[in-house]
Amino acid sequence: MKNEYYDIIIVVNYLYRPKIKKLINLLKNGGYLFYETFSLGNEKYGSPKNPNFLLKDREIINLISKQNEILSYFNGKVIEEKISIKQRCLIKKTS
């Protein structure tokens, strides 16, 4: 059975570290993973405050980037309905 299924996976405001690496295995070669969730520093502005639910600086890159191409990365303050600290990453599966 083939493990590669999707052209794109989008994850927003969710963090469960044991599953992050497994997401890449669900992508077709050349597929994209867009991941956006809260980052350390967000606890100053609201929930989540628990460090278990906040990415460390460049953590998403460190978890997924091996043999994959980082197309875009952002870690910082986002002002939408309210201020938050988020990490965004767009990754292309290359192997």
Side-chain angles (χ1 to χ4, degrees):
M1 184 169 140
K2 196 172 181 180
N3 285 338
E4 301 172 340
Y5 302 107
Y6 302 104
D7 293 314
I8 188 166
I9 296 174
I10 300 170
V11 180
V12 179
N13 295 344
Y14 182 78
L15 179 59
Y16 184 62
R17 286 175 177 89
K19 298 284 185 185
I20 291 175
K21 289 182 184 180
K22 294 178 182 181
L23 291 173
I24 289 293
N25 294 330
L26 295 175
L27 285 172
K28 294 177 183 176
N29 197 24
Y32 298 92
L33 170 64
F34 176 77
Y35 207 104
E36 176 187 286
T37 197
F38 298 97
S39 191
L40 282 175
N42 190 70
E43 63 278 6
K44 298 175 199 169
Y45 301 103
S47 294
K49 296 176 184 287
N50 183 332
N52 291 326
F53 303 114
L54 300 171
L55 286 170
K56 298 174 187 122
D57 187 38
R58 300 184 61 82
E59 182 176 4
I60 195 73
I61 289 175
N62 294 333
L63 288 171
I64 299 179
S65 67
K66 290 185 176 72
Q67 299 176 350
N68 295 293
E69 184 179 353
I70 305 301
L71 300 175
S72 177
Y73 174 76
F74 169 83
N75 185 32
K77 188 183 288 187
V78 175
I79 303 172
E80 292 169 340
E81 292 177 20
K82 62 180 187 171
I83 296 172
S84 59
I85 306 298
K86 292 202 172 177
Q87 205 167 131
R88 294 178 178 149
C89 193
L90 177 59
I91 297 163
K92 182 177 181 182
K93 182 176 180 177
T94 57
S95 62

